[in-house]
Amino acid sequence: AQAILAVKRTMPGTRPTFMSALIRYSLLLCTLSGSHGAGPSPVRWPFSSDPEGDSCGQGDGGRCYSSLVQMRARATPRAPQGSADDGGGGFGDAGRGRVGVGEGAAATRRALKIYVYDLPATMLHNGTLVVLRQSCKEYPPNMSCGPLAKLGTNAVWGGPIELSGGLEVHQVYQFALGSIFFVSLMGHPQRTLDPTEADLFFVPAFMDPNGLQTYDMHDNCPSAELLVAQLPHLNDDSASRHIWLAPSVGWVNETCDAFQANSSSTSPAALLLAKTIKLALEDRESAPHSLAADRELAVDENAPMSMPWADNLHSIPYPSVLSGFDAARVAAWQASIAVPTQRPYLVSGVWGAHGLGSSMDIRTSMQRQCLASPECSFIDLNGMRGRTNTEDVMEVGLVSTFCLEPPGDTPSRKGMVDSIVAGCIPVLFSPLQTKLWPWHIGDWRDVSVLASPTCADIVAFLSDIPHAEVERMQQNLVPVVRRLTYSPLGYPDPDDALETTLRAVLAIALAS
């Protein structure tokens, strides 16, 4: 990795043949080292790639897939893909630009150097953080500035919440990734002020998620030309090592136009930005391909909705409620959910009545089924969208074996992360949800159940899952918790959400 980056830095704008060969050889070594000892993959619990084509209905005994009986007899426990048990995986899916969990780790276990651009305050979100932001040129690499300097850690992590049994979590805002990345990288031990030694470059330019409801933020967005003018170290050779993000789902109405740059853009500046790495809660693979008439928006039915079209866009997860706690606290939490216990509820659901038309149908049906069963606990969040609802979600998740996670306005929801942290197996209802966050989750089949959106008896379906399969998924949730959690500022954990993201980005840069 060091040799490849050295060549890239010393020979900007060139693509020598020996460098391409070196990259291919490095990837081959990573693949071989990550796949030794792997045997044939056993058959896993039913996981349809098209649940609508294999849906259940009335009179099928509550079974949501036709192959349920046959598959149950063959389902066997296995370690999750990319875990320590199987060597971390290889670059098997790199052809589509989606690096699996654990991949590229060997290339970045060394001291990764990160350069953070010092952009003018007006080029940040046009909201809360613009007011708080201050120049960081005077700060040494091992210190933080900006929101942390004025408001303390609660400005980033949202403050503590005590749960039953003395457990404590943070009330992390679901769209806090902008704040988290900015202050974490400003205070990162490997932040460098010398761009010539940087492996990655972070561009702190993103829209304020607090202003998304107004839908007029685009009037204040910097153009691609203005943004590129502020990035003197961005060129064709270094573009794949530049990263920036959208704190929300990354759809067109929630980002500046420059963020959506792709190979079809017309200006040279936009074409250059198209080569950079973008991060958001969702990407092009996890977004629906067509909204058509499915536009019953709960917040503003007149709001423009358009899927992301940015090139090199990758999905990263919502920050978990353990973000801001040190590695020892996270490890203690993991140990607590790893202990096999009989949870009071088989399944639970926590949501409000909002979302696209199809999402509303799923939510309405699942809510009705849940309320009709003593084995299911349901909390209605109608009228509480302005809250984080952290306490409600975590309390019920900790006492449930399965957590229903129907899509809402878009395929992702923070509850998918919260349920994993609670040790509650997520029940998904769309194949698009299984395409989210591959760097951090790996294979969703290892940690979740995909149910048909038209399932007539979700409780019976989940009751039919063999106990051994339930235990397999529960155990697989435990190591994922750390990869969904951001460490305290200035104290990065090599396996946390931030470091997992940086390793994956660097792996892409090395392969480009």
Side-chain angles (χ1 to χ4, degrees):
Q2 295 182 41
I4 294 170
L5 289 172
V7 171
K8 279 179 170 276
R9 282 195 290 264
T10 57
M11 304 180 68
T14 63
R15 298 184 180 275
T17 302
F18 79 90
M19 189 173 102
S20 299
L22 181 58
I23 292 174
R24 288 194 297 271
Y25 181 63
S26 298
L27 297 183
L28 176 62
L29 289 178
C30 289
T31 303
L32 292 176
S33 65
S35 59
H36 62 277
S41 298
V43 177
R44 286 173 286 198
W45 190 246
F47 193 85
S48 171
S49 61
D50 181 11
E52 293 186 87
D54 193 16
S55 60
C56 66
Q58 300 292 344
D60 71 349
R63 290 183 286 110
C64 292
Y65 295 100
S66 59
S67 58
L68 179 110
V69 176
Q70 296 88 341
M71 293 291 288
R72 182 172 68 177
R74 294 183 294 170
T76 53
R78 67 183 294 276
Q81 244 185 13
S83 71
D85 296 331
D86 68 6
F91 283 78
D93 206 24
R96 292 190 294 125
R98 299 175 73 82
V99 181
V101 62
E103 295 170 10
T108 54
R109 288 296 184 182
R110 64 179 179 81
L112 181 71
K113 294 291 185 180
I114 307 161
Y115 180 87
V116 181
Y117 281 98
D118 186 48
L119 299 181
T122 54
M123 295 196 67
L124 288 176
H125 337 213
N126 306 301
T128 305
L129 286 186
V130 171
V131 178
L132 300 176
R133 178 133 163 33
Q134 51 188 278
S135 176
C136 304
K137 288 182 178 178
E138 299 81 12
Y139 286 73
N142 63 341
M143 292 184 66
S144 299
C145 69
L148 180 63
K150 286 198 173 185
L151 293 184
T153 56
N154 283 1
V156 181
W157 310 123
I161 295 179
E162 186 170 336
L163 305 176
S164 301
L167 296 174
E168 187 178 75
V169 296
H170 279 139
Q171 190 165 265
V172 185
Y173 180 46
Q174 64 176 337
F175 300 138
L177 287 178
S179 308
I180 292 173
F181 265 74
F182 180 61
V183 297
S184 294
L185 293 179
M186 285 303 305
H188 199 286
Q190 299 305 322
R191 177 188 162 217
T192 179
L193 299 180
D194 182 359
T196 64
E197 65 178 20
D199 300 311
L200 297 175
F201 298 80
F202 179 65
V203 181
F206 44 93
M207 291 175 68
D208 175 22
N210 290 315
L212 294 181
Q213 308 302 327
T214 64
Y215 297 102
D216 60 0
M217 303 295 287
H218 292 82
D219 295 338
N220 298 314
C221 281
S223 65
E225 290 73 19
L226 179 58
L227 182 56
V228 168
Q230 299 289 330
L231 309 176
H233 314 297
L234 174 63
N235 53 51
D236 285 331
D237 187 65
S238 68
S240 63
R241 294 189 287 125
H242 279 66
I243 58 174
W244 48 323
L245 58 81
S248 55
V249 296
W251 287 33
V252 171
N253 59 299
E254 298 186 349
T255 64
C256 291
D257 290 343
F259 188 83
Q260 300 294 339
N262 56 60
S263 57
S264 299
S265 300
T266 56
S267 76
L271 288 172
L272 187 56
L273 291 176
K275 300 177 182 179
T276 61
I277 301 297
K278 296 99 173 174
L279 308 173
L281 298 174
E282 297 179 11
D283 57 17
R284 288 165 64 168
E285 288 202 29
S286 60
H289 295 288
S290 175
L291 287 177
D294 198 11
R295 292 171 56 105
E296 296 181 19
L297 299 180
V299 178
D300 182 356
E301 62 183 13
N302 297 316
M305 291 295 290
S306 180
M307 278 63 65
W309 60 61
D311 283 349
N312 299 309
L313 176 62
H314 301 270
S315 65
I316 58 175
Y318 296 85
S320 86
V321 294
L322 298 181
S323 295
F325 290 126
D326 60 30
R329 291 280 293 274
V330 176
W333 181 284
Q334 289 176 290
S336 70
I337 66 170
V339 178
T341 57
Q342 183 66 36
R343 298 194 171 198
Y345 292 101
L346 173 69
V347 58
S348 64
V350 183
W351 60 76
H354 71 89
L356 303 178
S358 58
S359 301
M360 282 291 293
D361 292 341
I362 300 172
R363 290 186 171 211
T364 301
S365 173
M366 293 303 127
Q367 178 177 346
R368 183 178 62 252
Q369 294 181 45
C370 188
L371 290 172
S373 172
E375 296 185 80
C376 188
S377 174
F378 183 79
I379 297 179
D380 191 343
L381 297 182
N382 273 344
M384 294 189 287
R385 292 198 73 186
R387 297 173 41 197
T388 63
N389 304 305
T390 299
E391 186 173 358
D392 297 322
V393 172
M394 293 305 298
E395 290 281 16
V396 73
L398 286 166
V399 295
S400 305
T401 300
F402 295 96
C403 287
L404 303 177
E405 302 297 343
D409 294 336
T410 66
S412 71
R413 63 189 308 246
K414 190 174 183 293
M416 296 167 67
V417 170
D418 293 333
S419 62
I420 291 174
V421 172
C424 185
I425 300 168
V427 180
L428 312 180
F429 292 89
S430 169
L432 294 174
Q433 293 178 297
T434 69
K435 297 178 183 296
L436 292 163
W437 320 322
W439 298 340
H440 302 75
I441 299 296
D443 193 332
W444 277 98
R445 289 174 292 185
D446 292 318
V447 295
S448 70
V449 173
L450 178 61
S452 165
T454 59
C455 183
D457 193 341
I458 191 66
V459 174
F461 169 61
L462 296 175
S463 298
D464 255 353
I465 299 179
H467 180 69
E469 176 66 6
V470 172
E471 285 195 338
R472 177 189 76 85
M473 290 186 285
Q474 288 176 324
Q475 291 303 308
N476 289 344
L477 293 173
V478 178
V480 178
V481 171
R482 187 178 297 273
R483 297 196 295 269
L484 301 176
T485 301
Y486 291 84
S487 300
L489 307 178
Y491 300 92
D493 181 321
D495 295 311
D496 75 353
L498 178 66
E499 301 302 310
T500 298
T501 300
L502 296 178
R503 284 198 301 272
V505 171
L506 184 56
I508 292 174
L510 293 177
S512 63

